[in-house]
Amino acid sequence: MHAKFLFGFFIACSLCLIYVNAQKVPITVYYESLCPDSRRFFTTQLYPTLQTNLSKWVNLTLVPYGKSNQTQLAGDQWQFSCHHGPYECQGNKIQACALHEIETTSPKQAEQGFNPTTLRFINCLMDKTEKKTDPTGADQYTFPIKNCSEINHIQNYAGIENCAQHTTGSKYLLDLGIKTKKFQENLVSVPTIVFNDKYQAEESKAAEVNLIKVLCKYITKDKPEECKNCGVTFTSSLLVFALIVVKSLF
Ligand SMILES: *[C@@H]1O[C@H](CO)[C@@H](O)[C@H](O)[C@H]1NC(C)=O
Ligand SMILES: *[C@@H]1O[C@H](CO)[C@@H](O)[C@H](O)[C@H]1NC(C)=O
Ligand SMILES: *[C@@H]1O[C@H](CO)[C@@H](O)[C@H](O)[C@H]1NC(C)=O
Ligand SMILES: *[C@@H]1O[C@H](CO)[C@@H](O)[C@H](O)[C@H]1NC(C)=O
């Protein structure tokens, strides 16, 4: 009887430990600053989802590079060519810089899976970057670095601008290029969304239109409110299971 009790207690406690040590879901997004599908995904799926309680379940890696290519000119001089032209290279570089620079003045907390200030800033760029036509009829883009910094109370606006105009920006963009090409030599789809470091094409496509649904599949313990219409919660099934185990032992 005593041994059985200890055994039951052990089982229940192991389950509780698994329950408490809820892991964040690694999500990597490969995308481009001027790609319409990337902008739509960012502003209608990624950003809104990370404003909910689901944010604490996500460990996010942003890789703004997409289908770009890099060529070494000399030493630390690199030339980039981008899917949507030279302006996109500039946009990607600004985001590459933001990912580093904002962290220095508004660092994320250790338990956070992403920097909320950087996310807000990049979402603002994805949302508000405007296309104009120059006198020759060519497309021209203005990146609202200043406006997006002001709106989001980012102190080192100058740091981001400076980085994007110098070799630091090229170095950060090159790092993203190396990361992207290590994942896929030529990115097949933009954006590409990878869960748990395992690429699945159908899942990436599904996440583009319903990120919450795919994310919730990966949250196996203690599903939050936002996932509840996706099925029976793990908490309640755990409780029932623990009761059955304990009952069967006595
Ligand atoms: C988010 O979680 C907090 C506490 O963890 C809770 O009070 C709040 O109601 C939740 N919000 C939503 C929208 O579920
Ligand atoms: C990058 O290189 C690949 C392979 O050579 C090519 O297919 C693609 O068009 C290039 N992309 C850009 C944006 O230059
Ligand atoms: C997020 O993932 C990285 C590895 O990609 C890891 O080093 C880091 O600790 C994780 N952060 C959190 C808060 O889980
Ligand atoms: C920045 O904000 C000002 C005032 O809100 C607005 O007039 C201007 O057009 C904005 N600039 C850009 C690049 O969005």
Side-chain angles (χ1 to χ4, degrees):
M1 188 68 176
H2 190 63
K4 268 189 173 178
F5 176 77
L6 279 178
F7 181 66
F9 188 72
F10 173 74
I11 299 263
C13 280
S14 318
L15 288 171
C16 285
L17 267 181
I18 294 170
Y19 167 78
V20 168
N21 279 326
Q23 287 289 315
K24 289 190 199 303
V25 180
I27 301 181
T28 307
V29 186
Y30 298 90
Y31 68 104
E32 296 163 348
S33 61
L34 294 181
C35 158
D37 289 341
S38 298
R39 296 178 72 173
R40 191 178 316 114
F41 171 69
F42 220 103
T43 56
T44 69
Q45 296 294 321
L46 187 61
Y47 182 71
T49 300
L50 294 178
Q51 300 313 296
T52 71
N53 278 349
L54 285 171
S55 63
K56 63 172 184 282
W57 293 93
V58 173
N59 189 346
L60 181 69
T61 306
L62 294 176
V63 192
Y65 193 82
K67 296 192 181 200
S68 311
N69 292 317
Q70 67 252 13
T71 320
Q72 188 168 24
L73 300 177
D76 59 359
Q77 302 287 307
W78 289 82
Q79 190 174 48
F80 300 92
S81 72
C82 299
H83 194 186
H84 299 89
Y87 282 104
E88 181 162 77
C89 294
Q90 187 58 21
N92 291 347
K93 210 178 268 181
I94 291 165
Q95 295 196 17
C97 288
L99 288 165
H100 286 271
E101 296 296 327
I102 295 173
E103 189 62 24
T104 63
T105 46
S106 319
K108 77 168 158 65
Q109 307 300 304
E111 76 282 1
Q112 287 177 317
F114 58 90
N115 185 322
T117 311
T118 310
L119 184 80
R120 273 200 305 276
F121 177 77
I122 293 180
N123 183 65
C124 179
L125 291 178
M126 295 299 267
D127 186 31
K128 294 192 193 317
T129 297
E130 274 181 37
K131 182 162 90 171
K132 289 191 186 111
T133 314
D134 76 7
T136 71
D139 286 347
Q140 197 176 37
Y141 288 86
T142 344
F143 297 100
I145 309 181
K146 190 160 195 188
N147 279 17
C148 289
S149 298
E150 279 168 9
I151 295 166
N152 295 299
H153 312 290
I154 287 162
Q155 292 150 35
N156 60 341
Y157 148 73
I160 299 171
E161 276 237 317
N162 193 46
C163 164
Q165 284 160 7
H166 294 89
T167 48
T168 321
S170 298
K171 187 202 165 293
Y172 292 155
L173 189 58
L174 174 66
D175 291 344
L176 297 175
I178 292 168
K179 193 178 246 175
T180 303
K181 297 206 177 287
K182 202 170 142 195
F183 167 67
Q184 277 180 356
E185 184 54 38
N186 291 303
L187 201 63
V188 174
S189 171
V190 187
T192 292
I193 306 136
V194 180
F195 295 82
N196 266 352
D197 302 317
K198 271 211 203 89
Y199 173 57
Q200 288 176 278
E202 333 73 69
E203 212 168 66
S204 175
K205 279 285 157 215
E208 250 186 78
V209 292
N210 195 340
L211 175 62
I212 292 184
K213 192 171 175 195
V214 182
L215 172 60
C216 285
K217 268 195 352 200
Y218 283 92
I219 303 175
T220 48
K221 304 148 203 156
D222 186 29
K223 279 195 196 287
E225 268 315 306
E226 285 81 356
C227 293
K228 293 239 163 106
N229 48 9
C230 307
V232 184
T233 70
F234 186 77
T235 317
S236 44
S237 40
L238 177 68
L239 207 65
V240 171
F241 180 67
L243 276 174
I244 292 170
V245 169
V246 171
K247 262 195 120 175
S248 71
L249 287 169
F250 294 98

